[in-house]
């Protein structure tokens, strides 16, 4: 009888461990189970990233539709080439969409915000968004203001 | 003068010998478990005394550490108007660092010292040698289940610690200090990554579990079989485990997060 209690408690202990891992995965790190594979990659050229980093989110109208998967320097244009991994159910981005780097709140993280264009054709995997707006650089703004430009 | 140099050499050699003995001992503990079917009930018994009985101290300290983190974080962050980031701060601190480390320190004090004292008393009362006389391998019968129980319990305890701590932080931040619950969780989920943060924390606690249980069972098995020897070995278990955990934590953090 005593040993059955112990076995039961050890079983509950193990289950609590699995439960804790699940809470950490789903609730704390926001991992979603049914995701992976079904996405496509487009690129965007920016003059200044201003602190955008890999794993930053890509949003349209504030709704997350993908993430920043890679950042590299384009050696021809000397601008930043950002790979955006977009969920495949968002397949209606028109080819004249614009991308901008925004900040979530005053001190929040940087994210890429995509605004819809008017063209009928939509972006295919591998296409590049050229019409972009770089991160707001406060030092530059103040500098421009001070020199009266 | 010569005597002092000699004693230095003797101490060095003894330390090396002990290290070597503990390595061989660990090898035997891991690779000589003959039959899973015999040792499984022993393992369950040890999981109970090492893991389940440590739950209370782990849960209580996790709760209070989470609450303190929430309170301190709120007081600092509210000056910058970004008290929503409290969820992110509490979760990252707990999952990456405090969960594995504090659990390991508590584990060394609560379970490690008990393991050492238990095995040491078995040795002092010659239970281990009588087992050998009866043809029962004391390593398989006594040491191995205790080692594996510690190894398995530690990650579970660390994860429970983190979860309870985050809950405590939420209780203080959201329920008492009025941070909006949605942004509390959203900030946390945006910044905590499952692979980089949660899994690295779990890997840390697995390493700590192996090291703490190894030190505990070895100190018990290797002690001088007197009552003084038991007390010295128990102290050593706690001191060595704590030092090893803190040192290894820096190394692991540097490798995992520091990009060294």
């Amino acid at each position: 009888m005593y040993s059955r209690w112990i076995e039961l408690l050890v079983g509950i202990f193990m289950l609590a461990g699995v439960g804790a891992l699940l809470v950490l995965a789903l609730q704390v790190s926001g991992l979603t189970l049914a995701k992976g594979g079904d996405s496509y990659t487009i690129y965007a050229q920016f003059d200044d990233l201003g602190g955008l980093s890999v794993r930053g989110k890509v949003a349209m109208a504030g709704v997350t539709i993908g993430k920043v998967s890679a950042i590299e320097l384009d050696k021809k244009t000397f601008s930043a080439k950002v790979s955006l991994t977009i969920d495949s159910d968002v397949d209606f981005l028109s080819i004249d969409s614009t991308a901008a780097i925004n900040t979530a709140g005053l001190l929040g993280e940087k994210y890429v915000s995509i605004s819809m264009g008017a063209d009928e054709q939509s972006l295919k995997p591998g296409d590049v968004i050229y019409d972009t707006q770089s991160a707001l650089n406060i030092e530059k703004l103040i500098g421009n203001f001070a020199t009266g430009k | 003068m010569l005597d002092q140099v000699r004693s230095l050499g003797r101490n060095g050699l003894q330390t090396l010998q002990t290290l070597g003995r503990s390595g061989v001992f660990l090898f035997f503990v891991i690779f000589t478990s003959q039959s899973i079917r015999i040792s499984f009930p022993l393992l369950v018994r040890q999981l109970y005394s090492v893991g389940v009985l440590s739950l209370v101290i782990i849960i209580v300290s996790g709760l209070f550490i989470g609450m303190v983190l929430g309170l301190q974080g709120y007081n600092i962050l509210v000056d910058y108007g970004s008290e929503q980031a409290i969820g992110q701060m509490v979760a990252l601190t707990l999952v990456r660092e405090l969960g594995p480390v504090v659990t390991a320190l508590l584990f060394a004090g609560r379970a490690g010292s008990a393991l050492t004292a238990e095995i040491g008393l078995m040795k002092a009362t010659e239970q281990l040698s009588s087992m050998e006389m009866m043809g029962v391998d004391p390593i398989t019968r006594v040491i191995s289940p205790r080692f594996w129980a510690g190894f398995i319990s530690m990650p579970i305890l660390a994860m429970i610690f983190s979860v309870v701590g985050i809950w405590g932080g939420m209780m203080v931040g959201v329920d008492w200090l009025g941070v909006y619950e949605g942004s509390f969780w959203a900030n946390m989920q945006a910044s905590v990554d499952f692979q980089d943060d949660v899994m690295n924390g779990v890997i840390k606690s697995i390493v700590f579990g192996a090291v703490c249980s190894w030190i505990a069972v070895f100190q018990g098995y290797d002690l001088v079989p007197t009552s003084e020897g038991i007390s010295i070995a128990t102290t050593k278990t706690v001191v060595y485990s704590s030092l090893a955990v803190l040192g290894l934590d820096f190394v692991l953090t540097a490798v995992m997060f520091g990009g060294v």
Side-chain angles (χ1 to χ4, degrees), chain A residues 9 17 21 25 27 29 55, chain B residues 48 156 159 185 189 192-194:
Chain A
L9 286 172
L21 185 64
Q27 182 75 12
S29 65
R55 290 207 283 125
Chain B
Y48 176 75
I156 298 178
M159 285 188 290
W185 289 113
Q189 290 173 354
V192 179
D193 185 73
F194 183 69

Side-chain angles (χ1 to χ4, degrees), chain A residues 24-33, chain B residues 189 192-195:
Chain A
L24 286 180
L26 300 178
Q27 182 75 12
V28 175
S29 65
L31 204 68
T32 42
L33 290 173
Chain B
Q189 290 173 354
V192 179
D193 185 73
F194 183 69
Q195 288 283 324

Side-chain angles (χ1 to χ4, degrees), chain B residues 215-230:
Chain B
I215 291 176
V217 290
F218 177 72
Q219 290 295 341
Y221 191 74
D222 200 56
L223 53 73
V224 183
T226 57
S227 42
E228 197 194 2
I230 294 177

Side-chain angles (χ1 to χ4, degrees), chain A residues 23-90:
Chain A
V23 170
L24 286 180
L26 300 178
Q27 182 75 12
V28 175
S29 65
L31 204 68
T32 42
L33 290 173
K35 211 176 199 181
D38 48 348
S39 61
Y40 65 99
T41 304
I42 58 174
Y43 301 96
Q45 301 267 10
F46 288 101
D47 292 330
D48 185 3
L49 291 181
L52 181 75
S53 61
V54 176
R55 290 207 283 125
K57 70 171 181 175
V58 178
M60 172 177 266
V63 181
T64 305
I65 58 169
K67 62 175 184 175
V68 175
S69 53
I71 292 172
E72 56 190 308
L73 186 66
D74 191 328
K75 294 198 179 84
K76 289 193 203 93
T77 59
F78 302 114
S79 58
K81 187 181 178 191
V82 176
S83 307
L84 309 173
T85 304
I86 310 289
D87 298 344
S88 61
D89 53 337
V90 184

